[in-house]
Amino acid sequence: MKSTPLRRVAAVSAVRLLLGCAVALWAFCQPAVAEDSEAGHTGKLFCPVEYSIALEYAGPIEEVLGAQPAGKRAGQALARYRLKDETVLEILTYLELQQAILNTQVEISKTEKEILSVKEEYEGARRLSAAQMGSAERLNRLKKTLDQLQRQKTLRTQGMEIDKKALQAKRAIVKRKLGKAVEGSDVPEYGELISPLAGEVLFVSPALRKGMILNSLPVAVTVGQTNPMEVRTRVFESDVPGLRIGGKAKVTVLSLDNRAYDGVITSIDRSPEDTAVDRPSYYGVRVEIPNADGKLRAGFKTTVDFVPEKGAP
């Protein structure tokens, strides 16, 4: 029987399919090989300490002070915005609680004076009753009055302590949102974004611009400490036993013309990134390197070569 062109195409396709399956099966059965064993371990730079600052109160932005990445002190203002009326009302509610505590303190003071007065009457009535010269009914009435005043003082004191805790929490919230504490009964005209730590400005939201009226920004500014910097890399399972915390490493930064840095291992993960039994195991390793001149930036790619320990095989 003569073969037709269609049959020949089908036969060739079947052979190619079988060859492809065979190659895939062979590759699957090969032992895992460490990816970075020859050319060093690839890594990336990160700031070891970062803090994102949110714009939580709404208002028009008056000034952005932290746009430049120069060193910032802890407590330094990074942006300033004008408070909206709604924000002022919210802060006034917090101040009302403060005033309520003061009023309660006054009421407690009055109650204490009443207690002292009734106690004197009660002691006098008790002495007269003991000498059979006073009315027992009056003595009982004074005792009930004294007990009521004591309970009244206790309830007001407990309520005031609850209000004080609520005020303390609200004061902390307002200070965090506003960037400053509210003193007395004066509501400030402006709010500020304050740097919580000494470091560099890593990121400023594009929306944080003078004249913009913003409701909120979950990440308005990010500040971080950039000296030292942290290199994050990963190593194959067979390389882990040769590493230790405090061990040395040579870090090469590709974006700085392959500039080399001396690093120290600060962390070795106890668990692999991928726990599937049919996948090779890689463990995260962190290396610290100096950045005194500030040339290193988060995101720069690196290669990491771990220095063998003396006496190691």
Side-chain angles (χ1 to χ4, degrees):
M1 181 184 296
K2 293 183 179 180
S3 62
T4 64
L6 183 59
R7 288 179 177 175
R8 285 197 297 271
V9 171
V12 170
S13 299
V15 171
R16 288 179 176 174
L17 180 61
L18 289 173
L19 287 174
C21 291
V23 170
L25 181 62
W26 176 85
F28 179 80
C29 294
Q30 297 308 302
V33 178
E35 296 174 0
D36 298 325
S37 58
E38 295 297 331
H41 304 270
T42 58
K44 186 173 285 190
L45 282 171
F46 292 85
C47 292
V49 179
E50 289 187 12
Y51 194 97
S52 294
I53 306 165
L55 175 67
E56 299 187 74
Y57 279 143
I61 305 300
E62 293 287 328
E63 193 174 6
V64 180
L65 307 170
Q68 298 302 319
K72 305 298 177 184
R73 301 184 307 275
Q76 184 173 351
L78 303 175
R80 184 176 293 114
Y81 58 96
R82 186 180 297 274
L83 299 182
K84 295 179 71 174
D85 292 341
E86 294 85 347
T87 303
V88 173
L89 286 175
E90 180 181 337
I91 297 174
L92 286 173
T93 303
Y94 144 72
L95 294 177
E96 287 174 359
L97 180 58
Q98 182 174 283
Q99 185 60 46
I101 292 173
L102 294 176
N103 293 339
T104 302
Q105 288 175 333
V106 171
E107 293 299 321
I108 291 174
S109 180
K110 289 181 180 178
T111 303
E112 288 174 341
K113 289 180 180 179
E114 289 184 53
I115 290 173
L116 289 175
S117 177
V118 174
K119 270 186 177 180
E120 289 180 1
E121 287 188 56
Y122 176 78
E123 289 298 325
R126 187 177 63 80
R127 286 192 295 269
L128 290 174
S129 179
Q132 296 183 351
M133 298 175 61
S135 167
E137 182 181 350
R138 180 171 181 269
L139 183 65
N140 291 333
R141 187 171 64 251
L142 288 172
K143 181 66 168 59
K144 288 181 180 179
T145 301
L146 188 60
D147 290 342
Q148 288 175 351
L149 289 172
Q150 291 284 11
R151 284 196 298 270
Q152 189 179 86
K153 177 187 174 183
T154 299
L155 291 174
R156 283 177 173 170
T157 301
Q158 290 174 344
M160 184 179 67
E161 291 303 317
I162 293 173
D163 287 344
K164 282 183 176 180
K165 290 180 180 179
L167 177 64
Q168 185 178 4
K170 287 188 176 182
R171 181 182 286 122
I173 293 172
V174 169
K175 183 178 180 181
R176 187 198 72 226
K177 290 183 175 182
L178 200 59
K180 63 181 76 173
V182 178
E183 303 293 343
S185 60
D186 295 331
V187 179
E189 187 177 357
Y190 296 95
E192 293 177 331
L193 300 183
I194 302 296
S195 176
L197 50 85
E200 308 287 335
V201 175
L202 306 178
F203 169 79
V204 177
S205 171
L208 192 69
R209 302 194 307 272
K210 183 177 180 179
M212 292 292 289
I213 301 177
L214 303 174
N215 290 325
S216 64
L217 278 176
V219 180
V221 183
T222 301
V223 294
Q225 295 175 346
T226 58
N227 184 31
M229 292 288 282
E230 182 178 84
V231 181
R232 298 178 191 175
T233 185
R234 63 178 195 158
V235 301
F236 189 62
E237 58 184 273
S238 60
D239 294 329
V240 173
L243 304 179
R244 67 173 180 86
I245 304 297
K248 307 298 182 183
K250 289 288 185 181
V251 178
T252 302
V253 181
L254 307 181
S255 300
L256 297 180
D257 295 327
N258 294 328
R259 180 174 173 179
Y261 291 81
D262 293 326
V264 178
I265 300 173
T266 58
S267 173
I268 304 171
D269 288 353
R270 304 292 298 183
S271 178
E273 299 172 352
D274 190 342
T275 58
V277 296
D278 60 338
R279 301 289 300 163
S281 293
Y282 287 89
Y283 293 77
V285 177
R286 300 189 182 194
V287 177
E288 186 180 276
I289 61 175
N291 186 30
D293 59 6
K295 291 187 176 181
L296 297 176
R297 293 176 179 266
F300 278 5
K301 289 189 175 181
T302 67
T303 59
V304 181
D305 293 289
F306 296 104
V307 180
E309 298 286 337
K310 290 184 178 180

